[in-house]
Amino acid sequence: MLFKKLEFKFTWRSYQQNFLNNFLKHIDDNHLHVIAPPGSGKTILGIEIMKQVGKKILVLSPTLTIRNQWEDRLQSFFVNDAQFDDFSFDLNQPKAITFSTYQSLHSFYKKFENKEDYFNYFKKHKIEVLMLDEAHHLKNEWWKCLFELKERDKLTVIALTATPPYDSDPLEVSKYFRLCGTVDDEIAVPDLVKEGDLCPHQDYVFFSEPNDLEINFIADFRGKIADFIDSLSADEEFIKFIECHRFVMHTNNTLDQIYANPEYFSALLIFLKSVGKEIKFELLEILGFNVKDKIDIPVFDLNWASILLQNLLVTDREILEKNESVLHKLEPQVRKINIFDKSKIDLIGDAVLYRSLSNSPSKLKSIVEIIKHEEDLLKDELRAVVLTDYIKKEFLEIENISSINRLGVMPIFHYLRTQVDKSENLAVLTGTVVVIHHSKIELFSLFDTFENYSFIPLISAPEFVFISSKTAVSKLVDTITKMFEHGYITKLIGTKALLGEGWDAPSINTLVLASFVGSFVSSNQMRGRAIRSQRNNLNKTGNIWHLVCIDKTDLKGGKDIETLRRRFDAFVGISKSEKTYIESGIERLELPEKYIDISITDLNTDALNQSELRSDLSMRWKSAILHGTTLSREIKQYYENDKPYNLQKQQKFHDVVKYSFLELGVGLSFFIPEVLIKNLNVLLSKGIISFVYTVLTAFGLAFGYKTYKVLKNYIQFGFIFKNLSKIGEALKESLIEINLITTKKENIFVKTEVLPKGDMIISIKGTNDFESTIFINAIQEIIEPIKTPRYLILKANLFKKEFDIQNFYSVPQIFGDKKKNCAIFEKNWKQYVGESEFIYTRHLEGRKILLKARLMHLSNSFKKTTKKAVIWN
């Protein structure tokens, strides 16, 4: 055996042992894809996998620091006597184990003019396995040389990551999973906390408000957008241009183009409707609507305006060459108000306003308040790290902090040095700028020699020195890290690029994320720095602070809070509520849903008070862990509180059904006695038949329409909860039948639940993580607003047709890709859910019905109607 000298010297944690007991059954298809959070021992598990596979291997990492950690863990955890030396850091001289970086392999790949020589290199040196550490980096250039190799020589691929890049561009996500394969196993955060490999931790959100300048900028931006939209609606030349658009004037001749871009066609019609133009029925007929259908055309809002302008000015520009005079006049208008940049129309202000809010100087004051609070509580035990995106070297020397108008390492440094106690314990650590207090220079010598460095006092803050290194910066990073670990530095400011991934400082107990990057991967990696446990400190807890600048002109708080919500989808953490539970998503923090007329001060005071309860935090984690044994996935379908009874535009059960029956019942309780008394003379003079006719006529006039609406609402929505359960059963049976679920059928059940607010939850129990993920992804495809499925389900029985009710669902891609699988799903759907029509959408009639279904769901096109969550139960 290649690795017979390697033997793990310690005892495996229970979750590690469980993983190792099962991994061989996953790798038999030449793939092993594992999600392992920071602190789970991912590297030593990788070495054990390598040892058990027993073949020559290339281990790839994103940085030199992480590459070196692999060799360090190998020698420290698996070698007893003489050092293991059958390894190499050089791709030109590979050994049994070759440690390298993705960048090095990419450069190595590019130097081969003949790609056959690249493939032959692996054959010549008999390298049969690729170990991909922090595999979430593999989406673009680094991906190519690995995927070609995998496809050509069928190498075994072992992918390790803390967070797959689920929220990246769909093409990038697809490439990632083509290389790494589906997720085979996941190590759960609660298991790590239970075993003591991660410390109890909690996320807190600290809010700030934009300053007057920023508020004026936001108000001015929104005002300009509103004026621009109003001007479009009053521009006769533009309206005439839209009326004469080929999709409107020559619809039947442009069907293929309409079907390829239905949002564009919809935006044209919605605009014309908004300016009072009648929409000819012929335009709606091609979408599959008939005369009896009730069609609610949405409001021409900023989302639809964005779609319209994006197509007119970019996507469709060449074909609209004859109308260039109109577009040439339009383009300067949109550029003038900063909504057209890099061929992208942005009327919402995602880029412009988000840059303003995410980089707001108001967050500097938030950081000061958080650090002061944590230092008051923890005293010398504080180990605080502030991570941000940019250094902002232009603020290295500054006379007055009031001139700072940007977020960055140096602005944060100047704010903290002037406004917190014990500034001598403050330091900066980045790849190019390192700053410590002059009183720490002697302590620096305990870990490193002076000869490779120069210590240059800052002009604006001479008590601090800039450290200039004459050698590799990695040694300096190591020295400052040791000073931090020993408590000579207690407040450290750095960049996420240097410290956000792979940097190991287990003593961190306070982390402030002053980064506006909202991706799953970056956020989870940064957060992972603070949740590691610390040897000889069993009481360690971690507070992670997230900064948000609220846009009070936006009901939901603006883009900064939206980015934070997306970031939290990657975190599994503990709830704030009295009933403690562990779940992914920001809902567990019980933040407000609306941010107009809300006190930011009260929210921050509550967060600061909660953050003091560190000992209570440990107890809450222990309690929550006892209430579960494994992570499972569920999907939540939202009940829209802000627009409660908009029934035609929702595809879920609303409590309005119950209230409508109640209202009808109450009405009748008053109506019947009154009618009986008023028409008693009819009974006495004309007889019982005339009396009954009179009462029924009065009832019809008073309650006929209301009764019709109540019945229609009940038929359309009253059974949706039951339908969701039946849909789950149909899906479960179909997945079992096509062998995507192989767990014993008797151990599996579908669970549905209605929450107090009206949201519905569905999950599958008894399956493994991979099977659960497939089920949840498929359910989401079925119940979300219609996109472009290959097959569509129309559920409308004879009774529903009388009430003009049609429910559309998508057939999930895992069935739609193969006719045989779709037939299996159709059979189970009809058995559990009821008679429905399955429609193939890739021919003319099918595409018409698809567009009709999408138009019926247009109101939900820009909403998040469902949410996946990971829960511990």
Side-chain angles (χ1 to χ4, degrees):
M1 281 181 64
L2 276 175
F3 309 121
K4 62 183 179 181
K5 291 182 180 179
L6 301 180
E7 193 67 40
F8 186 58
K9 298 193 292 187
F10 304 97
T11 302
W12 293 110
R13 298 287 196 182
S14 59
Y15 63 84
Q16 293 171 331
Q17 189 63 62
N18 289 338
F19 166 75
L20 292 170
N21 289 343
N22 296 315
F23 93 87
L24 285 174
K25 72 180 182 183
H26 293 303
I27 208 170
D28 58 5
D29 61 352
N30 278 348
H31 278 103
L32 180 63
H33 189 181
V34 182
I35 300 176
S40 59
K42 178 159 48 77
T43 305
I44 60 172
L45 283 172
I47 296 169
E48 180 65 22
I49 293 168
M50 168 199 314
K51 176 193 150 193
Q52 292 196 31
V53 171
K55 298 176 181 177
K56 288 187 76 172
I57 186 168
L58 173 61
V59 180
L60 295 166
S61 305
T63 66
L64 289 172
T65 302
I66 298 174
R67 182 205 70 175
N68 295 340
Q69 284 176 3
W70 276 83
E71 192 266 337
D72 176 69
R73 300 294 191 273
L74 176 75
Q75 305 293 357
S76 302
F77 288 84
F78 288 85
V79 178
N80 282 302
D81 301 318
Q83 279 213 331
F84 179 84
D85 58 6
D86 198 2
F87 74 90
S88 170
F89 289 128
D90 186 357
L91 285 168
N92 294 303
Q93 296 180 325
K95 292 191 177 181
I97 308 170
T98 304
F99 298 110
S100 190
T101 64
Y102 296 120
Q103 182 67 52
S104 296
L105 180 67
H106 182 61
S107 300
F108 184 74
Y109 166 78
K110 287 198 297 185
K111 80 176 186 180
F112 290 99
E113 292 184 11
N114 182 357
K115 296 309 175 196
E116 285 299 318
D117 294 337
Y118 170 72
F119 299 127
N120 289 335
Y121 161 85
F122 288 88
K123 288 180 180 177
K124 175 184 174 183
H125 294 288
K126 298 181 180 177
I127 297 173
E128 300 180 69
V129 183
L130 298 172
M131 179 83 74
L132 310 178
D133 191 20
E134 308 293 0
H136 49 264
H137 289 277
L138 299 171
K139 298 174 293 183
N140 292 309
E141 279 300 303
W142 292 349
W143 173 87
K144 185 179 180 183
C145 59
L146 288 164
F147 186 73
E148 287 183 4
L149 184 62
K150 171 199 165 186
E151 288 294 284
R152 173 67 179 265
D153 294 338
K154 306 301 178 187
L155 271 65
T156 298
V157 174
I158 300 167
L160 309 173
T161 184
T163 313
Y166 292 122
D167 62 337
S168 295
D169 177 270
L171 180 60
E172 291 182 346
V173 176
S174 171
K175 287 165 69 175
Y176 171 83
F177 281 103
R178 282 166 65 198
L179 175 61
C180 300
T182 53
V183 176
D184 293 297
D185 209 343
E186 180 172 1
I187 295 174
V189 166
D191 278 329
L192 272 70
V193 176
K194 181 180 178 181
E195 293 281 2
D197 289 328
L198 294 182
C199 69
H201 53 276
Q202 182 59 296
D203 296 278
Y204 301 98
V205 180
F206 202 91
F207 295 94
S208 63
E209 297 183 68
N211 58 35
D212 290 343
L213 190 65
E214 291 169 315
I215 291 171
N216 291 338
F217 174 75
I218 292 168
D220 184 56
F221 178 81
R222 295 200 188 284
K224 286 177 180 177
I225 298 297
D227 291 343
F228 170 69
I229 297 298
D230 288 344
S231 70
L232 273 188
S233 301
D235 187 337
E236 291 298 331
E237 183 185 18
F238 182 77
I239 294 170
K240 189 68 178 174
F241 161 55
I242 299 299
E243 283 185 298
C244 296
H245 191 283
R246 66 187 186 283
F247 285 5
V248 180
M249 291 292 289
H250 308 290
T251 309
N252 290 327
N253 296 331
T254 55
L255 287 179
D256 285 343
Q257 295 175 51
I258 290 173
Y259 294 141
N261 193 350
E263 287 85 4
Y264 183 18
F265 180 61
S266 301
L268 292 165
L269 300 186
I270 292 166
F271 173 76
L272 289 174
K273 178 71 175 178
S274 74
V275 295
K277 300 296 181 181
E278 183 180 352
I279 307 300
K280 295 178 183 177
F281 178 72
E282 290 77 12
L283 297 176
L284 299 173
E285 192 174 28
I286 67 156
L287 301 178
F289 288 99
N290 58 52
V291 178
K292 293 173 66 178
D293 288 330
K294 183 173 184 248
I295 306 163
D296 286 333
I297 295 182
V299 174
F300 185 68
D301 60 14
L302 297 184
N303 290 303
W304 287 112
S306 295
I307 289 174
L308 179 61
L309 293 172
Q310 182 70 35
N311 280 279
L312 294 179
L313 292 173
V314 182
T315 312
D316 204 26
R317 188 77 176 256
E318 287 186 18
I319 301 177
L320 295 171
E321 188 177 358
K322 290 182 180 178
N323 306 102
E324 183 57 35
S325 60
V326 178
L327 300 179
H328 187 70
K329 177 182 170 184
L330 180 64
E331 184 174 340
Q333 296 177 47
V334 296
R335 289 198 182 278
K336 186 177 179 181
I337 55 176
N338 294 317
I339 61 170
F340 190 23
D341 184 40
K342 296 179 180 176
S343 299
K344 174 73 176 172
I345 291 287
D346 180 13
L347 286 165
I348 308 299
D350 283 355
V352 176
L353 298 185
Y354 182 46
R355 274 198 302 268
S356 171
L357 293 174
S358 63
N359 207 20
S360 172
S362 66
K363 292 183 177 181
L364 293 166
K365 296 175 183 177
S366 298
I367 295 168
V368 169
E369 196 166 344
I370 291 166
I371 296 299
K372 276 185 172 181
H373 178 81
E374 293 282 22
E375 191 161 42
D376 287 344
L377 185 69
L378 297 174
K379 310 298 181 187
D380 292 337
E381 297 300 313
L382 176 70
R383 297 292 184 277
V385 172
V386 183
L387 289 180
T388 191
D389 297 297
Y390 303 111
I391 299 172
K392 297 293 180 185
K393 284 185 183 179
E394 63 268 31
F395 293 102
L396 180 63
E397 298 286 3
I398 188 167
E399 293 182 4
N400 192 331
I401 67 166
S402 63
S403 64
I404 295 174
N405 60 357
R406 289 286 183 273
L407 200 61
V409 170
M410 296 317 300
I412 294 168
F413 165 73
H414 287 298
Y415 257 77
L416 288 177
R417 75 171 175 83
T418 58
Q419 299 191 37
V420 300
D421 297 330
K422 298 184 179 178
S423 63
E424 68 274 12
N425 292 338
L426 179 65
V428 167
L429 178 57
T430 75
T432 57
V433 176
V434 178
V435 176
I436 63 173
H437 196 271
H438 72 86
S439 65
K440 304 296 179 182
I441 295 175
E442 289 301 319
L443 294 167
F444 184 93
S445 66
L446 297 175
F447 306 98
D448 206 346
T449 60
F450 287 153
E451 60 190 38
N452 293 322
Y453 306 99
S454 299
F455 298 87
I456 307 163
L458 298 182
I459 297 171
S460 57
E463 69 275 22
F464 284 90
V465 293
F466 172 85
I467 305 178
S468 176
S469 175
K470 299 168 187 173
T471 58
V473 74
S474 57
K475 178 61 177 170
L476 182 55
V477 170
D478 184 55
T479 299
I480 299 299
T481 302
K482 287 176 180 175
M483 292 179 70
F484 179 78
E485 289 289 285
H486 281 78
Y488 302 133
I489 294 168
T490 62
K491 300 177 281 283
L492 189 62
I493 310 159
T495 55
K496 66 177 178 59
L498 182 67
L499 307 181
E501 181 176 0
W503 181 60
D504 198 8
S507 65
I508 301 172
N509 51 34
T510 299
L511 176 66
V512 181
L513 294 179
S515 166
F516 55 78
V517 173
S519 75
F520 287 176
V521 171
S522 292
S523 302
N524 209 29
Q525 288 291 338
M526 288 188 289
R527 187 172 172 271
R529 303 313 100 204
I531 65 178
R532 292 174 182 269
S533 60
Q534 183 184 14
R535 271 185 212 170
N536 305 320
N537 184 7
L538 299 179
N539 295 320
K540 181 197 165 181
T541 57
N543 285 350
I544 303 108
W545 292 91
H546 306 262
L547 308 180
V548 169
C549 186
I550 289 296
D551 175 5
K552 285 201 166 183
T553 66
D554 186 320
L555 184 67
K556 294 189 176 180
K559 186 67 178 178
D560 214 12
I561 187 72
E562 181 188 322
T563 302
L564 186 70
R565 287 182 181 279
R566 185 174 72 245
R567 178 189 282 181
F568 265 76
D569 287 342
F571 305 156
V572 173
I574 196 165
S575 65
K576 176 189 172 185
S577 61
E578 189 174 329
K579 182 184 177 183
T580 308
Y581 59 89
I582 298 169
E583 186 175 299
S584 66
I586 205 168
E587 284 82 0
R588 61 185 172 84
L589 298 187
E590 299 185 344
L591 297 177
E593 301 222 350
K594 300 172 184 176
Y595 287 88
I596 293 177
D597 299 325
I598 199 161
S599 171
I600 298 300
T601 302
D602 289 347
L603 290 174
N604 289 340
T605 300
D606 180 57
L608 292 171
N609 290 339
Q610 289 284 327
S611 72
E612 294 178 2
L613 306 176
R614 287 185 179 252
S615 58
D616 180 60
L617 182 61
S618 297
M619 297 302 297
R620 287 165 60 77
W621 268 97
K622 287 178 183 176
S623 172
I625 288 170
L626 289 174
H627 286 90
T629 56
T630 186
L631 287 177
S632 64
R633 282 169 167 73
E634 67 179 26
I635 191 162
K636 179 186 290 184
Q637 192 171 25
Y638 287 123
Y639 174 88
E640 295 291 336
N641 286 327
D642 52 338
K643 292 186 179 178
Y645 317 127
N646 202 353
L647 296 175
Q648 290 292 337
K649 302 177 183 179
Q650 301 292 329
Q651 197 186 12
K652 52 193 156 194
F653 171 59
H654 281 188
D655 284 341
V656 67
V657 176
K658 301 174 188 175
Y659 292 123
S660 297
F661 273 115
L662 180 63
E663 183 185 356
L664 185 60
V666 170
L668 286 172
S669 68
F670 287 103
F671 168 82
I672 291 174
E674 184 181 349
V675 169
L676 288 175
I677 293 169
K678 284 185 176 179
N679 294 281
L680 192 59
N681 64 317
V682 177
L683 176 64
L684 296 174
S685 61
K686 297 185 178 180
I688 185 68
I689 294 176
S690 295
F691 174 76
V692 170
Y693 276 130
T694 302
V695 171
L696 288 176
T697 301
F699 176 84
L701 292 172
F703 291 99
Y705 181 66
K706 186 177 286 292
T707 303
Y708 170 82
K709 280 185 69 178
V710 169
L711 287 173
K712 180 176 177 179
N713 292 343
Y714 187 73
I715 294 164
Q716 186 165 10
F717 298 107
F719 292 108
I720 291 296
F721 170 65
K722 291 180 181 178
N723 273 350
L724 189 60
S725 179
K726 292 174 181 177
I727 289 169
E729 290 296 331
L731 177 60
K732 179 195 76 176
E733 292 295 327
S734 302
L735 291 173
I736 290 171
E737 214 166 316
I738 66 172
N739 293 318
L740 280 175
I741 290 181
T742 56
T743 302
K744 288 184 179 179
K745 186 175 177 179
E746 56 268 27
N747 296 334
I748 305 170
F749 66 95
V750 174
K751 180 181 178 183
T752 50
E753 180 184 0
V754 179
L755 300 181
K757 287 185 178 180
D759 298 337
M760 288 188 296
I761 288 177
I762 184 167
S763 58
I764 190 167
K765 306 297 180 184
T767 60
N768 61 39
D769 185 71
F770 173 64
E771 294 166 341
S772 173
T773 300
I774 290 175
F775 178 88
I776 291 301
N777 289 343
I779 278 287
Q780 186 172 33
E781 286 185 68
I782 293 169
I783 63 178
E784 275 197 326
I786 306 297
K787 294 176 183 173
T788 54
R790 195 175 184 85
Y791 289 91
L792 192 65
I793 305 168
L794 169 58
K795 192 172 188 298
N797 57 35
L798 183 63
F799 190 49
K800 283 188 173 185
K801 284 180 180 177
E802 290 302 313
F803 282 89
D804 186 27
I805 295 169
Q806 293 177 315
N807 294 121
F808 290 98
Y809 304 90
S810 297
V811 173
Q813 187 177 347
I814 51 175
F815 301 111
D817 282 353
K818 290 184 180 178
K819 192 173 182 179
K820 175 184 173 185
N821 290 344
C822 188
I824 290 170
F825 184 59
E826 181 177 3
K827 177 196 71 176
N828 286 307
W829 178 279
K830 289 179 178 178
Q831 179 181 342
Y832 286 93
V833 184
E835 267 311 308
S836 303
E837 184 180 354
F838 275 58
I839 301 159
Y840 181 63
T841 65
R842 297 302 190 257
H843 56 56
L844 182 60
E845 287 306 312
R847 283 185 293 186
K848 285 184 179 181
I849 297 172
L850 174 61
L851 288 191
K852 175 182 178 180
R854 295 188 70 179
L855 190 61
M856 290 180 73
H857 288 197
L858 284 180
S859 60
N860 286 330
S861 297
F862 306 109
K863 296 177 184 174
K864 191 170 183 180
T865 58
T866 63
K867 177 186 180 298
K868 297 176 190 174
V870 179
I871 58 172
W872 177 257
N873 58 23

